[in-house]
Amino acid sequence: MVVIEINPNFHTLTKGSILERGGPVFKEYRRKWNEWPKNFVIGEFPLHLDIEAASICNLRCPFCATSHKEGDFPQGFMDFEIFKRIIDECAEHGLYAIKFNSGARGEPLLHTTLDKMVAYAKKKGILDVYFNTNATLLTKDIGRRLIEAGLDRVSISFEGFEPEVYEKYRVGASFEKVADNVKEFVRLRDKINPEKPLVRIQSVAIPEIMPRLKEYREFWENIVDEVAYIDFKDYSYLKEDLISDWTCPYLWQRMMITWNGKISICGFDYSNNHDLGNVKNTSLRSAWKSDIMEEIRSKHKAGKSHEVEVCNGCAFRTTEMLKIQDVAL
């Protein structure tokens, strides 16, 4: 019996998640998000795409892949024409959502035309357009342009509620400046369009914050729409050859497109081990329905995810499987 959980690394601290809001179409999207992996349903097209606007980040956080794998892969910014090609195909197939990040690297606000990308995606009918950000570059001008472009939601990474802890982990950022950026963005949102973008603050589950989650929640809950934390992924310790019946839900929900157009099996796949092609000459639908993807899904369904090279040692897989082992012990 395989073990498959939906969003297992995410934990909300407020009464409701922003993902519980939205109309009938959004609710149908989230129903599929939850049910497709559990029932191993492969739709005609992904539900969601991680589109890497930028593979570069302006911070060097010790828990991030950027700090551990910088230089391992080509770096750059997505060309707008490549982005249009992606969104045009997505619009044809009814894609629900895009996020302007990969699973573990890149700061979207470094892209100088991010607001233009948001506006194009919304014009083409993408329901849920969002991104994760460290908010160091979230100026009033950039915030206004993103709000007016129609951004649906944003997740802001912010460790805790004290300068010493925050600046220890968000290396290169100022607690006061970024906190002010967040507050000003929400004030601007409330003035321009109180409905969206919805704003979530989320911290990595660092040791200093876990005993003080109540204080963390109370600091932010009257400022933003949701307060949450995500599991700590230790990129300095990626354990290989962990064997269990754990199965990754991403394979039935989403894919990633890197900044240069390469199609990857998920947001944590930066390898060149699976030739799914490039959006410049390959359709996303053909990649999603490819023999390569079906073979990977089959191995996961059979409890053999460790036999997939890119999955064996994946940070997400390592984190989840170590949690399973702790429960077993």
Side-chain angles (χ1 to χ4, degrees), residues 8-71:
N9 64 330
F10 176 80
H11 314 274
T12 186
L13 297 172
T14 41
K15 290 183 179 179
S17 168
I18 58 177
L19 292 173
E20 296 171 359
R21 307 182 192 183
V25 179
F26 188 83
K27 287 181 169 59
E28 175 66 4
Y29 158 48
R30 299 310 296 183
R31 181 192 67 79
K32 291 176 180 177
W33 182 268
N34 286 293
E35 293 182 6
W36 279 15
K38 291 181 179 180
N39 298 316
F40 302 123
V41 174
I42 307 168
E44 289 301 307
F45 204 75
L47 297 169
H48 166 104
L49 282 181
D50 294 312
I51 300 176
E52 190 177 57
S55 65
I56 300 165
C57 188
N58 59 326
L59 300 185
R60 291 297 177 269
C61 308
F63 45 63
C64 182
T66 298
S67 299
H68 293 275
K69 296 180 177 293
E70 186 177 24

XYZ file of all heavy atoms in Angstrom, residues 8-71:
521
model
N 2.044 17.761 2.226
C 2.442 17.315 3.567
C 3.464 18.219 4.240
O 3.642 18.148 5.454
C 3.036 15.931 3.307
C 3.577 16.029 1.903
C 2.598 16.899 1.165
N 4.137 19.056 3.467
C 5.178 19.908 4.049
C 4.678 21.296 4.405
O 5.452 22.154 4.806
C 6.367 20.029 3.081
C 5.983 20.731 1.796
O 4.846 20.663 1.348
N 6.936 21.397 1.172
N 3.373 21.508 4.290
C 2.796 22.828 4.536
C 1.867 22.781 5.737
O 1.044 21.878 5.869
C 2.022 23.302 3.302
C 1.330 24.612 3.524
C 2.025 25.795 3.437
C -0.002 24.656 3.864
C 1.408 27.007 3.664
C -0.643 25.860 4.098
C 0.070 27.045 3.995
N 1.980 23.816 6.623
C 1.190 23.834 7.860
C 0.673 25.254 8.108
O 1.460 26.181 8.311
C 2.055 23.382 9.042
C 2.860 22.154 8.754
N 2.368 20.881 8.924
C 4.124 22.003 8.263
C 3.295 19.997 8.579
N 4.362 20.654 8.170
N -0.630 25.416 8.094
C -1.200 26.734 8.358
C -1.454 26.919 9.846
O -1.816 25.970 10.551
C -2.504 26.947 7.565
O -2.939 28.297 7.739
C -3.598 25.995 8.008
N -1.254 28.127 10.337
C -1.415 28.434 11.757
C -2.660 29.270 12.030
O -3.028 29.454 13.185
C -0.174 29.174 12.270
C 1.143 28.405 12.206
C 2.308 29.313 12.567
C 1.115 27.199 13.130
N -3.272 29.777 10.995
C -4.478 30.580 11.149
C -5.715 29.709 10.926
O -5.603 28.551 10.555
C -4.452 31.769 10.170
O -3.950 31.333 8.908
C -3.554 32.862 10.687
N -6.874 30.270 11.153
C -8.107 29.476 11.129
C -8.391 28.872 9.765
O -8.965 27.792 9.668
C -9.280 30.344 11.584
C -9.241 30.682 13.071
C -10.464 31.493 13.477
C -10.429 31.805 14.970
N -11.604 32.622 15.402
N -8.048 29.562 8.732
C -8.300 29.035 7.400
C -7.189 29.393 6.442
O -6.541 30.436 6.578
N -6.962 28.523 5.472
C -5.964 28.781 4.447
C -6.579 29.631 3.341
O -7.775 29.524 3.049
C -5.458 27.466 3.862
O -4.700 27.692 2.691
N -5.762 30.438 2.697
C -6.251 31.207 1.557
C -6.675 30.285 0.418
O -7.437 30.690 -0.451
C -5.204 32.235 1.073
C -3.893 31.546 0.685
C -4.969 33.303 2.124
C -2.839 32.504 0.127
N -6.217 29.039 0.449
C -6.608 28.077 -0.582
C -8.032 27.562 -0.379
O -8.565 26.855 -1.236
C -5.629 26.895 -0.599
C -4.225 27.231 -1.083
C -3.306 26.033 -0.905
C -4.237 27.677 -2.536
N -8.639 27.903 0.736
C -10.024 27.512 0.972
C -11.002 28.545 0.437
O -12.211 28.355 0.477
C -10.254 27.303 2.473
C -9.441 26.146 3.050
C -9.498 26.087 4.569
O -10.163 26.968 5.171
O -8.863 25.200 5.151
N -10.466 29.650 -0.049
C -11.307 30.687 -0.619
C -11.450 30.468 -2.122
O -10.821 29.612 -2.705
C -10.719 32.065 -0.336
C -10.416 32.296 1.147
C -9.870 33.691 1.400
N -9.332 33.814 2.749
C -8.849 34.947 3.257
N -8.863 36.048 2.525
N -8.363 34.981 4.488
N -12.303 31.241 -2.738
C -12.460 31.130 -4.185
C -13.795 30.545 -4.580
O -14.493 29.931 -3.766
N -14.132 30.737 -5.844
C -15.419 30.311 -6.360
C -15.443 28.850 -6.768
O -14.510 28.088 -6.493
N -16.508 28.436 -7.475
C -16.688 27.024 -7.857
C -15.554 26.471 -8.705
O -15.165 25.312 -8.535
C -18.005 27.054 -8.633
C -18.721 28.265 -8.161
C -17.664 29.274 -7.840
N -15.023 27.261 -9.630
C -13.950 26.760 -10.499
C -12.683 26.514 -9.688
O -11.997 25.500 -9.873
C -13.672 27.741 -11.662
C -12.536 27.217 -12.538
C -14.923 27.952 -12.498
N -12.372 27.445 -8.783
C -11.197 27.250 -7.933
C -11.373 26.022 -7.040
O -10.434 25.240 -6.852
C -10.954 28.491 -7.070
C -9.653 28.446 -6.308
C -8.470 28.813 -6.914
C -9.612 28.014 -4.991
C -7.259 28.760 -6.230
C -8.414 27.963 -4.290
C -7.239 28.337 -4.916
N -12.554 25.833 -6.500
C -12.825 24.660 -5.652
C -12.691 23.371 -6.451
O -12.207 22.350 -5.935
C -14.203 24.776 -5.015
C -14.280 25.812 -3.888
C -15.655 25.881 -3.275
C -15.666 26.709 -1.986
N -15.220 28.081 -2.176
N -13.106 23.392 -7.718
C -12.949 22.205 -8.570
C -11.472 21.922 -8.823
O -11.039 20.764 -8.811
C -13.683 22.420 -9.889
C -13.513 21.322 -10.913
C -14.118 19.979 -10.517
O -14.771 19.886 -9.444
O -13.925 19.004 -11.272
N -10.719 22.975 -9.043
C -9.274 22.829 -9.195
C -8.660 22.176 -7.973
O -7.898 21.203 -8.083
C -8.659 24.207 -9.458
C -7.192 24.352 -9.133
C -6.251 23.421 -9.564
C -6.737 25.451 -8.391
C -4.900 23.576 -9.267
C -5.403 25.625 -8.094
C -4.479 24.685 -8.526
O -3.152 24.834 -8.228
N -8.992 22.648 -6.767
C -8.418 22.089 -5.552
C -8.921 20.672 -5.277
O -8.214 19.865 -4.681
C -8.694 23.011 -4.359
C -8.098 24.402 -4.486
C -6.634 24.411 -4.855
N -5.771 23.806 -3.841
C -4.451 23.754 -3.932
N -3.830 24.217 -5.013
N -3.742 23.206 -2.967
N -10.132 20.382 -5.716
C -10.620 19.002 -5.584
C -9.736 18.069 -6.407
O -9.300 17.001 -5.922
C -12.072 18.898 -6.058
C -12.671 17.477 -5.920
C -13.992 17.332 -6.644
N -13.844 17.423 -8.097
C -13.414 16.427 -8.857
N -13.032 15.268 -8.330
N -13.330 16.592 -10.178
N -9.463 18.437 -7.640
C -8.591 17.615 -8.486
C -7.189 17.541 -7.892
O -6.533 16.477 -7.943
C -8.531 18.204 -9.897
C -9.838 18.094 -10.673
C -9.719 18.783 -12.035
C -11.009 18.690 -12.812
N -10.931 19.409 -14.113
N -6.709 18.651 -7.362
C -5.369 18.683 -6.741
C -5.252 17.620 -5.650
O -4.226 16.956 -5.520
C -5.128 20.074 -6.174
C -3.790 20.285 -5.540
C -3.457 20.119 -4.225
C -2.601 20.718 -6.198
N -2.138 20.427 -4.018
C -1.589 20.794 -5.210
C -2.298 21.053 -7.515
C -0.294 21.200 -5.519
C -0.999 21.452 -7.817
C -0.019 21.519 -6.823
N -6.305 17.484 -4.875
C -6.299 16.517 -3.774
C -6.595 15.094 -4.229
O -6.035 14.140 -3.688
C -7.328 16.933 -2.714
C -6.866 18.124 -1.892
O -5.916 18.037 -1.130
N -7.531 19.243 -2.056
N -7.468 14.939 -5.202
C -7.941 13.600 -5.560
C -7.132 12.913 -6.651
O -6.999 11.689 -6.636
C -9.412 13.665 -5.986
C -10.347 14.033 -4.838
C -11.807 14.051 -5.258
O -12.107 13.658 -6.412
O -12.649 14.459 -4.440
N -6.590 13.657 -7.595
C -5.866 13.011 -8.683
C -4.683 12.173 -8.193
O -4.538 11.014 -8.614
C -5.397 14.066 -9.693
C -6.466 14.496 -10.665
C -7.809 14.272 -10.564
C -6.272 15.228 -11.875
N -8.468 14.845 -11.623
C -7.544 15.427 -12.449
C -5.154 15.756 -12.520
C -7.716 16.127 -13.654
C -5.328 16.452 -13.711
C -6.589 16.627 -14.274
N -3.822 12.685 -7.320
C -2.711 11.834 -6.860
C -3.185 10.606 -6.086
O -2.631 9.510 -6.244
C -1.899 12.776 -5.965
C -2.287 14.147 -6.378
C -3.721 14.055 -6.766
N -4.190 10.779 -5.232
C -4.660 9.654 -4.417
C -5.275 8.545 -5.261
O -5.207 7.368 -4.901
C -5.676 10.152 -3.387
C -5.040 11.039 -2.312
C -6.069 11.501 -1.295
C -5.412 12.359 -0.213
N -6.393 12.832 0.785
N -5.877 8.930 -6.381
C -6.506 7.954 -7.274
C -5.667 7.667 -8.508
O -6.118 6.951 -9.410
C -7.893 8.461 -7.692
C -8.824 8.629 -6.512
O -8.886 7.773 -5.642
N -9.547 9.741 -6.467
N -4.461 8.235 -8.553
C -3.544 8.067 -9.684
C -4.197 8.432 -11.010
O -4.064 7.724 -12.016
C -2.992 6.636 -9.722
C -2.273 6.233 -8.467
C -2.679 5.120 -7.746
C -1.209 6.968 -7.989
C -2.029 4.754 -6.574
C -0.557 6.610 -6.817
C -0.969 5.501 -6.109
N -4.886 9.555 -11.003
C -5.530 10.075 -12.208
C -4.538 10.951 -12.971
O -3.970 11.892 -12.411
C -6.790 10.892 -11.867
C -7.360 11.558 -13.119
C -7.834 10.007 -11.207
N -4.336 10.636 -14.232
C -3.468 11.438 -15.089
C -4.374 12.214 -16.034
O -4.920 11.664 -16.981
C -2.493 10.575 -15.893
C -1.704 9.642 -14.964
C -1.549 11.455 -16.714
C -0.950 8.565 -15.698
N -4.554 13.482 -15.770
C -5.387 14.302 -16.640
C -4.730 14.509 -17.995
O -3.574 14.146 -18.226
N -5.462 15.115 -18.888
C -4.931 15.385 -20.221
C -3.849 16.457 -20.204
O -3.087 16.594 -21.163
C -6.065 15.809 -21.158
C -7.017 14.690 -21.526
C -6.288 13.543 -22.219
O -5.575 13.811 -23.212
O -6.418 12.391 -21.753
N -3.777 17.203 -19.104
C -2.812 18.290 -18.978
C -2.565 18.495 -17.486
O -3.433 18.194 -16.667
C -3.391 19.565 -19.612
C -2.355 20.561 -20.056
C -1.616 20.338 -21.210
C -2.126 21.726 -19.336
C -0.664 21.266 -21.631
C -1.182 22.651 -19.747
C -0.441 22.421 -20.907
N -1.391 19.006 -17.097
C -1.170 19.281 -15.664
C -2.212 20.256 -15.119
O -2.820 21.029 -15.862
C 0.225 19.909 -15.634
C 0.861 19.560 -16.927
C -0.230 19.396 -17.922
N -2.402 20.222 -13.811
C -3.263 21.197 -13.152
C -2.521 22.517 -12.935
O -3.133 23.587 -12.914
C -3.707 20.663 -11.794
C -4.549 19.387 -11.798
C -4.679 18.832 -10.381
C -5.920 19.648 -12.393
N -1.216 22.410 -12.807
C -0.392 23.535 -12.364
C 0.982 23.435 -13.019
O 1.473 22.336 -13.272
C -0.255 23.448 -10.835
C 0.808 24.297 -10.237
N 0.537 25.464 -9.566
C 2.163 24.155 -10.183
C 1.664 25.995 -9.126
N 2.663 25.220 -9.490
N 1.589 24.589 -13.265
C 2.967 24.628 -13.741
C 3.802 25.532 -12.848
O 3.375 26.640 -12.501
C 3.046 25.171 -15.171
C 2.684 24.251 -16.323
C 2.870 25.008 -17.635
C 3.525 22.986 -16.331
N 4.987 25.047 -12.479
C 5.999 25.901 -11.874
C 6.809 26.480 -13.025
O 7.493 25.745 -13.737
C 6.907 25.088 -10.946
C 6.167 24.553 -9.741
O 5.451 25.332 -9.095
O 6.299 23.348 -9.452
N 6.699 27.774 -13.222
C 7.400 28.450 -14.314
C 8.504 29.307 -13.694
O 8.230 30.261 -12.978
C 6.436 29.316 -15.139
C 5.336 28.433 -15.750
C 7.194 30.060 -16.230
C 4.273 29.218 -16.513
N 9.730 28.947 -13.981
C 10.870 29.583 -13.328
C 11.188 30.917 -13.999
O 11.915 30.977 -14.990
C 12.080 28.651 -13.378
C 13.245 29.115 -12.534
C 14.380 28.117 -12.562
O 14.876 27.796 -13.665
O 14.779 27.656 -11.480
N 10.636 31.995 -13.464
C 10.903 33.321 -14.024
C 12.385 33.668 -13.917
O 12.963 34.285 -14.821
C 10.065 34.371 -13.306
N 12.997 33.279 -12.797
C 14.421 33.537 -12.573
C 15.011 32.386 -11.787
O 14.394 31.889 -10.843
C 14.614 34.841 -11.802
N 16.203 31.965 -12.167
C 16.881 30.914 -11.400
C 17.874 31.505 -10.416
O 18.574 30.777 -9.711
C 17.608 29.953 -12.348
O 18.652 30.630 -13.030
N 17.926 32.815 -10.369
C 18.894 33.546 -9.546
C 18.199 34.120 -8.327
O 17.024 34.487 -8.386
C 19.524 34.689 -10.376
C 20.239 34.112 -11.610
C 20.476 35.538 -9.552
C 20.584 35.141 -12.654
N 18.907 34.193 -7.195
C 18.356 34.804 -5.988
C 19.338 35.828 -5.437
O 20.556 35.689 -5.600
C 18.053 33.743 -4.923
S 17.149 34.415 -3.497
N 18.805 36.853 -4.785
C 19.644 37.901 -4.204
C 20.027 37.628 -2.753
O 20.776 38.398 -2.157
C 18.939 39.256 -4.294
C 17.594 39.266 -3.586
O 16.889 38.257 -3.558
N 17.215 40.405 -3.032
N 19.527 36.517 -2.164
C 19.895 36.139 -0.800
C 20.637 34.807 -0.807
O 20.641 34.093 -1.809
C 18.643 36.036 0.085
C 17.797 37.306 0.242
C 16.665 37.059 1.235
C 18.640 38.496 0.676
N 21.242 34.473 0.318
C 21.965 33.214 0.458
C 21.546 32.543 1.771
O 22.299 32.480 2.733
C 23.485 33.454 0.426
C 24.009 33.902 -0.927
C 23.783 32.836 -1.996
N 24.212 33.263 -3.321
C 23.419 33.866 -4.196
N 22.166 34.133 -3.871
N 23.874 34.210 -5.384
N 20.337 32.033 1.782
C 19.777 31.412 2.981
C 20.340 30.001 3.141
O 20.386 29.243 2.170
C 18.252 31.377 2.890
S 17.528 32.990 2.503
N 20.757 29.622 4.329
C 21.442 28.341 4.517
C 20.574 27.122 4.258
O 21.099 26.039 4.025
C 21.894 28.394 5.982
C 20.998 29.394 6.640
C 20.700 30.410 5.570
N 19.233 27.286 4.294
C 18.348 26.144 4.076
C 17.856 26.043 2.638
O 16.974 25.243 2.334
C 17.131 26.213 5.010
C 16.497 27.569 5.099
C 15.934 28.167 3.995
C 16.502 28.257 6.294
C 15.367 29.423 4.064
C 15.929 29.518 6.389
C 15.359 30.098 5.263
N 18.413 26.824 1.733
C 17.911 26.880 0.355
C 18.868 26.198 -0.610
O 20.089 26.237 -0.426
C 17.704 28.338 -0.055
S 17.044 28.526 -1.723
N 18.305 25.631 -1.664
C 19.117 24.965 -2.677
C 20.082 25.934 -3.352
O 21.180 25.541 -3.764
C 18.217 24.325 -3.730
N 19.705 27.207 -3.457
C 20.580 28.193 -4.097
C 21.932 28.256 -3.403
O 22.974 28.379 -4.055
C 19.914 29.582 -4.082
O 18.699 29.525 -4.829
C 20.825 30.634 -4.691
N 21.933 28.157 -2.085
C 23.182 28.252 -1.325
C 24.039 27.005 -1.457
O 25.255 27.061 -1.273
C 22.868 28.501 0.156
O 22.157 29.706 0.323
N 23.408 25.883 -1.782
C 24.144 24.610 -1.837
C 24.459 24.169 -3.257
O 25.406 23.415 -3.472
C 23.339 23.506 -1.137
C 23.207 23.731 0.342
N 24.160 23.325 1.240
C 22.234 24.332 1.068
C 23.780 23.668 2.472
N 22.618 24.276 2.386
N 23.664 24.619 -4.229
C 23.821 24.122 -5.588
C 24.124 25.224 -6.598
O 24.063 25.008 -7.803
C 22.550 23.387 -6.014
C 22.269 22.129 -5.191
C 20.994 21.448 -5.652
C 20.741 20.156 -4.884
N 21.734 19.128 -5.189
N 24.410 26.434 -6.130
C 24.691 27.533 -7.040
C 25.878 27.171 -7.933
O 26.907 26.696 -7.489
C 25.001 28.805 -6.254
C 25.161 30.019 -7.154
C 25.385 31.292 -6.357
O 25.861 31.203 -5.207
O 25.090 32.362 -6.893
N 25.724 27.394 -9.216
C 26.787 27.077 -10.161
C 26.665 25.696 -10.760
O 27.342 25.381 -11.739
